[in-house]
Every structure is written in C-alpha cells, then in structure tokens.
Amino acid sequence: MIAVLAPDCPLQDKAEVVRLVEGYGLRVQVSETDTASLVAVIGEGGAGIADRLRGHPAVLEVRTDAPPYTLVAREQRPEGSRIHFDGFSVGGEEIVVMAGPCAVESRDGILAAARAVADGGARILRGGAFKPRTSPYSFQGLGERGLELLAEARAETGLKVVTEVVAPSEVEIVTRHADVLQVGSRNMQNFRLLSAVGEQPRPVLLKRGMMATIEELLLAAEYVVTAGNPRVMLCERGIRTYETSTRNTLDIAAVPVLKERTHLPVIVDPSHAAGRRELVPALSRAAIAAGADGLIVEVHPRPAEALSDGRQSLDPAGFLELMNDLRRTAASVGRHVASASDPAESRPEERADRG
Ligand code: PEP
Ligand code: MN
C-alpha cells in the first residue's frame, strides 16, 4: 500500500502520515519523485489503515494495488539501483561478467581459472566452496579451504569473489572471505538464510528458484532487503519446464519483467540454463539484448576433468571468444563489457550502496 502525497507537502504533514502508519505497528519507506512524495507501507496493511490514510488531508491518493514487495519495487527507485565495488559497479552502463568454475577443486585449478577469466575481462571470480549437490554422494566442495583459495586468487588477480553460502551458520565465515554472497536456486526460499544474508554487509547474488515465479523471487529479495541489506542482485538461471533439450529453460522474458518491477540489478546465468557450453554464447547475447546488467558464466581450465558441471563450462579460449563477442553485443545496446586492461575507477567499496 502506498500513500501518495504532494511533492511540496510540509514536513509536518508527512511526519503525521508516517506516525499514522507506525501506529499500526508497521514500518514505512518514504521516497520522493518529481511529482509526488510516496509513503510506502512495508508489510500487509489492512483496509482500516487505507481508510485512515484516505481521510488524512495531506494524502492525495492511496494505492492498494501496490505489489506485495515494497522495498525492492521499481517505484522506490525509478532510476535503478547500482552496487558499487572497488573499481566498477553493477547496474550502470557496464555489463559486469562474473566467471569461474562451478566449484573450487584445487589451488592450481582455481588460480588458472582466475587468471583466464581476468584476462578475458571478467570483474568477479565465481567458484563454489560449499556446494549444494542434488546427490549426497557428489563432490560437496572444499569448504573453508575453498574460501581461502578464492581469497588467494583475488589477491593475485584483483578480481572480486562471489561464492555460495548454503546455511545460516556459515554466513559469517563466507562473509569473511567473499565479496559477494550467492544464494543458490535451491535455497531461494530458505527464509532463515535470506534473513541471515540480509544481516551482513556484503552484496548478495540471489538466484531464482528453478520452480519459482518472478513474484516469489522478488519477495525473496524483499526478505534480504528488509533484514537490512539493500545490495541485492537478482539472477535468472533457467526454470524447470517440460523441455529436455536444455538443462533448464532460460526465461529470457524474466529480464525485462524484472527491470520493470524492481530497481535491483539483474544478472543472467546462461550456463545453468543451458547445461551445454555450445549454447552459452547465444544465451549470453540474448541476455544482454534483453537488458541484463551482468552475466555469471562457468569457466574451467579443463572442462573434461571438472568435478561438477564440466559439460556446461567454457574453457579459457572459449571464454575469451565469448567476451569478444559480447563486447559487440553490448555496444549495440549502448553498453560495454570491460577488458583486462580497463583502468579501475577508484571507489571505496563500502560507499553508498546505490548510485
Ligand atoms: C552454481 O552457481 O553453481 C549453482 C549451483 O547454481 P544454481 O543454484 O543456479 O543451480
Ligand atoms: Mn554449477
């Protein structure tokens, strides 16, 4: 529910409207646009509160058809939010590429992958240390040792690191080593985990559940933001359909739909969507054309030897080719993909979360 007030509404009136809402035990988010001051009710306000708001002389209109998520709604930040890192940002003109193996498997392997993706122009190294595997007998990741290896790869290459966190009890240790915390598809509705990543300071890459609607993804993001962390990136990684020729079905329409409904940056994972490396370039181009702010791509120094997801992983040469290809696609939509030689704009990491 959103109460619309005049843009020049006196501060005192606005404060009264806020107090009225807070009197119901609800929080508000106040934002200003050129044409109005918006007081958004966070949470589910009943009919009584809508009537009270309508009765307040400063309230021009009460919108009860607002979506069930408030903080992540586009209306809160029509210009879109940007997540700043030291040297680049996600959600601006640059298409930010995150790349690396499915899992951290060995020191040599992650260092080789990190050098290869840095050479191609990736900004962020991916690699799972804690792996959520469908089978309990599959490789589960190196755990804390994997995090240390990712940190070593960051120190050598200057890349940032994104890695998955699978349990609330492991948030603290992952936060110590990683720059971005990934919440995987299988955990998109693990509400305790969402709140836990919302209570720590690192940006979050929230992947869409394979059976989740776009609204469910947005409500999952709302959990993180309402817990205190506004730095969330959403990731479309393919959903489960009746189609069997790809591992998942990339919901390309989710990209413009998300851009319409939320101010959060949108990332596409063509690797888990496709399941086969041959399809990764076409899906990556489609993602950029559809308006994605970034990509997360699996790259392995020797895909045939990968302990997980080798079939969908590019080798270093394939990644370089992909990045060259994507530079042209990005340019055609007025955006760009970094090169290894791009100078880093200097920006303190924990600066404003949105630009
Ligand atoms: C991954 O990124 O390696 C992963 C497990 O992805 P998802 O959660 O999308 O399956
Ligand atoms: Mn994987």
Side-chain angles (χ1 to χ4, degrees), residues 110-152:
I110 194 65
L111 290 177
R115 289 177 199 127
V117 305
D119 278 354
R123 294 290 203 177
I124 302 180
L125 173 67
R126 63 148 291 147
F130 295 96
K131 293 301 299 176
R133 303 305 302 281
T134 300
S135 162
Y137 308 118
S138 301
F139 175 57
Q140 304 285 314
L142 298 180
E144 188 170 3
R145 174 76 188 133
L147 296 176
E148 288 163 2
L149 294 175
L150 286 166
E152 186 180 344

Tab-separated table of all heavy atoms in Angstrom, residues 110-152:
chain	number	residue	atom	x	y	z
A	110	ILE	N	41.924	-23.284	-9.400
A	110	ILE	CA	41.226	-22.002	-9.211
A	110	ILE	C	42.128	-20.845	-9.633
A	110	ILE	O	41.650	-19.846	-10.193
A	110	ILE	CB	40.676	-21.836	-7.767
A	110	ILE	CG1	39.677	-20.663	-7.706
A	110	ILE	CG2	41.767	-21.660	-6.731
A	110	ILE	CD1	38.412	-20.840	-8.489
A	111	LEU	N	43.448	-20.996	-9.419
A	111	LEU	CA	44.342	-19.915	-9.861
A	111	LEU	C	44.369	-19.836	-11.384
A	111	LEU	O	44.330	-18.743	-11.968
A	111	LEU	CB	45.758	-20.110	-9.300
A	111	LEU	CG	45.882	-19.895	-7.778
A	111	LEU	CD1	47.305	-20.183	-7.300
A	111	LEU	CD2	45.487	-18.470	-7.377
A	112	ALA	N	44.376	-20.979	-12.052
A	112	ALA	CA	44.367	-20.981	-13.526
A	112	ALA	C	43.059	-20.383	-14.042
A	112	ALA	O	43.048	-19.567	-14.974
A	112	ALA	CB	44.546	-22.403	-14.063
A	113	ALA	N	41.954	-20.751	-13.414
A	113	ALA	CA	40.655	-20.210	-13.842
A	113	ALA	C	40.619	-18.699	-13.613
A	113	ALA	O	40.156	-17.933	-14.470
A	113	ALA	CB	39.525	-20.884	-13.065
A	114	ALA	N	41.127	-18.258	-12.463
A	114	ALA	CA	41.093	-16.832	-12.136
A	114	ALA	C	41.906	-16.027	-13.145
A	114	ALA	O	41.455	-14.983	-13.629
A	114	ALA	CB	41.627	-16.606	-10.719
A	115	ARG	N	43.118	-16.537	-13.488
A	115	ARG	CA	43.943	-15.807	-14.468
A	115	ARG	C	43.230	-15.749	-15.807
A	115	ARG	O	43.202	-14.714	-16.467
A	115	ARG	CB	45.291	-16.514	-14.643
A	115	ARG	CG	46.185	-16.366	-13.439
A	115	ARG	CD	47.494	-17.142	-13.621
A	115	ARG	NE	48.111	-17.343	-12.311
A	115	ARG	CZ	48.494	-18.535	-11.826
A	115	ARG	NH1	48.357	-19.639	-12.538
A	115	ARG	NH2	49.020	-18.607	-10.615
A	116	ALA	N	42.615	-16.858	-16.206
A	116	ALA	CA	41.952	-16.909	-17.518
A	116	ALA	C	40.779	-15.934	-17.578
A	116	ALA	O	40.621	-15.194	-18.554
A	116	ALA	CB	41.474	-18.336	-17.811
A	117	VAL	N	39.953	-15.905	-16.526
A	117	VAL	CA	38.773	-15.031	-16.613
A	117	VAL	C	39.171	-13.560	-16.448
A	117	VAL	O	38.556	-12.677	-17.055
A	117	VAL	CB	37.616	-15.457	-15.666
A	117	VAL	CG1	37.225	-16.908	-15.922
A	117	VAL	CG2	37.930	-15.213	-14.203
A	118	ALA	N	40.243	-13.310	-15.665
A	118	ALA	CA	40.726	-11.919	-15.542
A	118	ALA	C	41.246	-11.449	-16.902
A	118	ALA	O	40.977	-10.318	-17.325
A	118	ALA	CB	41.825	-11.833	-14.485
A	119	ASP	N	41.958	-12.318	-17.614
A	119	ASP	CA	42.468	-11.968	-18.952
A	119	ASP	C	41.335	-11.639	-19.914
A	119	ASP	O	41.491	-10.818	-20.816
A	119	ASP	CB	43.241	-13.156	-19.564
A	119	ASP	CG	44.659	-13.202	-19.042
A	119	ASP	OD1	45.040	-12.264	-18.327
A	119	ASP	OD2	45.358	-14.191	-19.344
A	120	GLY	N	40.205	-12.297	-19.729
A	120	GLY	CA	39.069	-12.075	-20.627
A	120	GLY	C	38.294	-10.807	-20.301
A	120	GLY	O	37.482	-10.361	-21.106
A	121	GLY	N	38.499	-10.242	-19.108
A	121	GLY	CA	37.775	-9.017	-18.755
A	121	GLY	C	36.690	-9.229	-17.700
A	121	GLY	O	35.895	-8.334	-17.438
A	122	ALA	N	36.666	-10.433	-17.093
A	122	ALA	CA	35.690	-10.643	-16.009
A	122	ALA	C	36.063	-9.726	-14.843
A	122	ALA	O	37.222	-9.366	-14.658
A	122	ALA	CB	35.710	-12.104	-15.558
A	123	ARG	N	35.083	-9.340	-14.060
A	123	ARG	CA	35.316	-8.491	-12.884
A	123	ARG	C	35.291	-9.314	-11.600
A	123	ARG	O	35.860	-8.930	-10.592
A	123	ARG	CB	34.193	-7.450	-12.784
A	123	ARG	CG	34.159	-6.434	-13.894
A	123	ARG	CD	35.324	-5.504	-13.791
A	123	ARG	NE	35.047	-4.242	-14.465
A	123	ARG	CZ	35.886	-3.225	-14.474
A	123	ARG	NH1	37.050	-3.301	-13.867
A	123	ARG	NH2	35.585	-2.106	-15.108
A	124	ILE	N	34.522	-10.400	-11.639
A	124	ILE	CA	34.286	-11.168	-10.413
A	124	ILE	C	34.545	-12.644	-10.711
A	124	ILE	O	34.086	-13.168	-11.737
A	124	ILE	CB	32.828	-10.954	-9.910
A	124	ILE	CG1	32.555	-9.455	-9.665
A	124	ILE	CG2	32.551	-11.772	-8.660
A	124	ILE	CD1	31.154	-9.112	-9.164
A	125	LEU	N	35.287	-13.286	-9.815
A	125	LEU	CA	35.574	-14.721	-9.936
A	125	LEU	C	34.486	-15.504	-9.216
A	125	LEU	O	34.188	-15.217	-8.057
A	125	LEU	CB	36.932	-15.015	-9.287
A	125	LEU	CG	37.341	-16.487	-9.164
A	125	LEU	CD1	37.576	-17.106	-10.541
A	125	LEU	CD2	38.596	-16.607	-8.292
A	126	ARG	N	33.893	-16.486	-9.902
A	126	ARG	CA	32.916	-17.339	-9.230
A	126	ARG	C	33.582	-18.672	-8.904
A	126	ARG	O	34.581	-19.058	-9.523
A	126	ARG	CB	31.658	-17.573	-10.064
A	126	ARG	CG	31.822	-18.296	-11.391
A	126	ARG	CD	30.587	-19.141	-11.740
A	126	ARG	NE	30.487	-20.283	-10.826
A	126	ARG	CZ	29.343	-20.818	-10.413
A	126	ARG	NH1	28.194	-20.346	-10.845
A	126	ARG	NH2	29.352	-21.858	-9.586
A	127	GLY	N	33.023	-19.396	-7.957
A	127	GLY	CA	33.527	-20.705	-7.602
A	127	GLY	C	32.904	-21.119	-6.282
A	127	GLY	O	32.953	-20.374	-5.314
A	128	GLY	N	32.281	-22.297	-6.258
A	128	GLY	CA	31.625	-22.754	-5.040
A	128	GLY	C	32.611	-23.443	-4.110
A	128	GLY	O	33.389	-24.301	-4.535
A	129	ALA	N	32.572	-23.046	-2.839
A	129	ALA	CA	33.371	-23.733	-1.820
A	129	ALA	C	32.450	-24.679	-1.043
A	129	ALA	O	32.832	-25.769	-0.640
A	129	ALA	CB	34.012	-22.716	-0.888
A	130	PHE	N	31.219	-24.223	-0.851
A	130	PHE	CA	30.171	-25.062	-0.252
A	130	PHE	C	29.184	-25.342	-1.374
A	130	PHE	O	28.516	-24.429	-1.864
A	130	PHE	CB	29.466	-24.321	0.892
A	130	PHE	CG	30.376	-24.021	2.062
A	130	PHE	CD1	30.998	-22.778	2.181
A	130	PHE	CD2	30.608	-24.974	3.042
A	130	PHE	CE1	31.837	-22.501	3.251
A	130	PHE	CE2	31.449	-24.696	4.127
A	130	PHE	CZ	32.056	-23.459	4.230
A	131	LYS	N	29.103	-26.581	-1.833
A	131	LYS	CA	28.266	-26.892	-2.984
A	131	LYS	C	26.974	-27.587	-2.564
A	131	LYS	O	27.015	-28.604	-1.864
A	131	LYS	CB	29.019	-27.836	-3.948
A	131	LYS	CG	30.217	-27.223	-4.639
A	131	LYS	CD	29.862	-25.997	-5.466
A	131	LYS	CE	28.873	-26.268	-6.584
A	131	LYS	NZ	28.511	-24.995	-7.281
A	132	PRO	N	25.832	-27.063	-3.000
A	132	PRO	CA	24.566	-27.743	-2.711
A	132	PRO	C	24.305	-28.773	-3.814
A	132	PRO	O	23.814	-28.434	-4.881
A	132	PRO	CB	23.554	-26.595	-2.788
A	132	PRO	CG	24.161	-25.648	-3.786
A	132	PRO	CD	25.639	-25.860	-3.805
A	133	ARG	N	24.669	-30.023	-3.620
A	133	ARG	CA	24.551	-31.014	-4.686
A	133	ARG	C	23.281	-31.846	-4.551
A	133	ARG	O	22.863	-32.175	-3.438
A	133	ARG	CB	25.774	-31.935	-4.694
A	133	ARG	CG	27.115	-31.204	-4.851
A	133	ARG	CD	27.181	-30.303	-6.077
A	133	ARG	NE	26.947	-31.021	-7.317
A	133	ARG	CZ	27.848	-31.772	-7.956
A	133	ARG	NH1	29.070	-31.891	-7.445
A	133	ARG	NH2	27.555	-32.384	-9.081
A	134	THR	N	22.699	-32.195	-5.678
A	134	THR	CA	21.463	-32.968	-5.675
A	134	THR	C	21.686	-34.338	-5.017
A	134	THR	O	20.834	-34.836	-4.282
A	134	THR	CB	20.954	-33.115	-7.123
A	134	THR	OG1	20.720	-31.791	-7.620
A	134	THR	CG2	19.678	-33.920	-7.197
A	135	SER	N	22.840	-34.943	-5.286
A	135	SER	CA	23.134	-36.243	-4.678
A	135	SER	C	24.084	-36.073	-3.490
A	135	SER	O	25.071	-35.341	-3.586
A	135	SER	CB	23.797	-37.161	-5.713
A	135	SER	OG	24.442	-38.235	-5.043
A	136	PRO	N	23.818	-36.771	-2.391
A	136	PRO	CA	24.731	-36.656	-1.239
A	136	PRO	C	26.102	-37.266	-1.529
A	136	PRO	O	27.053	-37.062	-0.782
A	136	PRO	CB	24.011	-37.433	-0.132
A	136	PRO	CG	23.091	-38.367	-0.849
A	136	PRO	CD	22.686	-37.675	-2.121
A	137	TYR	N	26.202	-38.044	-2.620
A	137	TYR	CA	27.481	-38.703	-2.943
A	137	TYR	C	28.344	-37.885	-3.899
A	137	TYR	O	29.461	-38.243	-4.200
A	137	TYR	CB	27.204	-40.094	-3.542
A	137	TYR	CG	26.291	-40.896	-2.648
A	137	TYR	CD1	25.038	-41.318	-3.084
A	137	TYR	CD2	26.662	-41.163	-1.323
A	137	TYR	CE1	24.185	-42.006	-2.248
A	137	TYR	CE2	25.809	-41.850	-0.470
A	137	TYR	CZ	24.574	-42.269	-0.938
A	137	TYR	OH	23.736	-42.929	-0.105
A	138	SER	N	27.796	-36.763	-4.420
A	138	SER	CA	28.581	-35.917	-5.319
A	138	SER	C	29.538	-35.035	-4.510
A	138	SER	O	29.307	-34.780	-3.319
A	138	SER	CB	27.649	-35.007	-6.131
A	138	SER	OG	26.748	-35.778	-6.885
A	139	PHE	N	30.567	-34.545	-5.179
A	139	PHE	CA	31.557	-33.633	-4.563
A	139	PHE	C	30.846	-32.448	-3.913
A	139	PHE	O	30.094	-31.731	-4.572
A	139	PHE	CB	32.516	-33.148	-5.662
A	139	PHE	CG	33.517	-32.126	-5.220
A	139	PHE	CD1	34.403	-32.375	-4.177
A	139	PHE	CD2	33.603	-30.885	-5.875
A	139	PHE	CE1	35.341	-31.420	-3.781
A	139	PHE	CE2	34.535	-29.932	-5.493
A	139	PHE	CZ	35.400	-30.202	-4.438
A	140	GLN	N	31.105	-32.233	-2.634
A	140	GLN	CA	30.364	-31.203	-1.882
A	140	GLN	C	31.147	-29.891	-1.729
A	140	GLN	O	30.693	-28.979	-1.062
A	140	GLN	CB	30.011	-31.735	-0.482
A	140	GLN	CG	29.225	-33.048	-0.488
A	140	GLN	CD	27.766	-32.874	-0.884
A	140	GLN	OE1	27.092	-31.969	-0.388
A	140	GLN	NE2	27.267	-33.713	-1.771
A	141	GLY	N	32.334	-29.823	-2.340
A	141	GLY	CA	33.140	-28.601	-2.239
A	141	GLY	C	34.199	-28.734	-1.161
A	141	GLY	O	34.135	-29.614	-0.304
A	142	LEU	N	35.182	-27.815	-1.188
A	142	LEU	CA	36.314	-27.888	-0.255
A	142	LEU	C	36.034	-27.139	1.047
A	142	LEU	O	36.889	-27.088	1.929
A	142	LEU	CB	37.578	-27.301	-0.902
A	142	LEU	CG	38.121	-28.002	-2.163
A	142	LEU	CD1	39.378	-27.275	-2.656
A	142	LEU	CD2	38.444	-29.462	-1.887
A	143	GLY	N	34.872	-26.503	1.152
A	143	GLY	CA	34.539	-25.795	2.393
A	143	GLY	C	35.485	-24.627	2.637
A	143	GLY	O	35.869	-23.915	1.704
A	144	GLU	N	35.909	-24.463	3.896
A	144	GLU	CA	36.715	-23.299	4.257
A	144	GLU	C	38.012	-23.220	3.444
A	144	GLU	O	38.450	-22.131	3.059
A	144	GLU	CB	37.043	-23.318	5.754
A	144	GLU	CG	37.702	-22.021	6.176
A	144	GLU	CD	37.838	-21.866	7.685
A	144	GLU	OE1	37.465	-22.800	8.428
A	144	GLU	OE2	38.323	-20.800	8.115
A	145	ARG	N	38.615	-24.366	3.135
A	145	ARG	CA	39.834	-24.364	2.315
A	145	ARG	C	39.531	-23.721	0.948
A	145	ARG	O	40.347	-22.975	0.408
A	145	ARG	CB	40.325	-25.810	2.164
A	145	ARG	CG	41.500	-25.983	1.237
A	145	ARG	CD	42.812	-25.519	1.882
A	145	ARG	NE	43.904	-25.508	0.915
A	145	ARG	CZ	44.762	-24.510	0.742
A	145	ARG	NH1	44.667	-23.413	1.461
A	145	ARG	NH2	45.723	-24.586	-0.139
A	146	GLY	N	38.366	-24.005	0.417
A	146	GLY	CA	37.964	-23.410	-0.866
A	146	GLY	C	37.866	-21.894	-0.760
A	146	GLY	O	38.274	-21.161	-1.674
A	147	LEU	N	37.359	-21.414	0.364
A	147	LEU	CA	37.248	-19.956	0.561
A	147	LEU	C	38.634	-19.318	0.600
A	147	LEU	O	38.862	-18.246	0.041
A	147	LEU	CB	36.505	-19.642	1.866
A	147	LEU	CG	35.046	-20.090	1.958
A	147	LEU	CD1	34.499	-19.790	3.355
A	147	LEU	CD2	34.191	-19.380	0.902
A	148	GLU	N	39.568	-20.009	1.262
A	148	GLU	CA	40.932	-19.467	1.346
A	148	GLU	C	41.577	-19.412	-0.043
A	148	GLU	O	42.288	-18.463	-0.376
A	148	GLU	CB	41.791	-20.333	2.282
A	148	GLU	CG	41.392	-20.157	3.746
A	148	GLU	CD	41.918	-21.268	4.655
A	148	GLU	OE1	42.636	-22.173	4.156
A	148	GLU	OE2	41.585	-21.228	5.846
A	149	LEU	N	41.300	-20.418	-0.848
A	149	LEU	CA	41.872	-20.428	-2.204
A	149	LEU	C	41.262	-19.305	-3.052
A	149	LEU	O	41.950	-18.670	-3.857
A	149	LEU	CB	41.654	-21.798	-2.869
A	149	LEU	CG	42.418	-22.963	-2.212
A	149	LEU	CD1	42.037	-24.296	-2.855
A	149	LEU	CD2	43.938	-22.739	-2.302
A	150	LEU	N	39.986	-19.060	-2.866
A	150	LEU	CA	39.354	-17.944	-3.593
A	150	LEU	C	40.003	-16.618	-3.182
A	150	LEU	O	40.273	-15.751	-4.021
A	150	LEU	CB	37.847	-17.895	-3.308
A	150	LEU	CG	37.007	-18.972	-4.004
A	150	LEU	CD1	35.606	-19.047	-3.394
A	150	LEU	CD2	36.909	-18.704	-5.511
A	151	ALA	N	40.265	-16.476	-1.896
A	151	ALA	CA	40.897	-15.240	-1.411
A	151	ALA	C	42.303	-15.099	-1.996
A	151	ALA	O	42.724	-13.992	-2.360
A	151	ALA	CB	40.934	-15.236	0.119
A	152	GLU	N	42.999	-16.209	-2.137
A	152	GLU	CA	44.335	-16.163	-2.735
A	152	GLU	C	44.233	-15.750	-4.212
A	152	GLU	O	45.026	-14.928	-4.700
A	152	GLU	CB	45.012	-17.540	-2.605
A	152	GLU	CG	46.450	-17.517	-3.070
A	152	GLU	CD	47.155	-18.879	-2.943
A	152	GLU	OE1	46.661	-19.776	-2.223
A	152	GLU	OE2	48.212	-19.028	-3.599
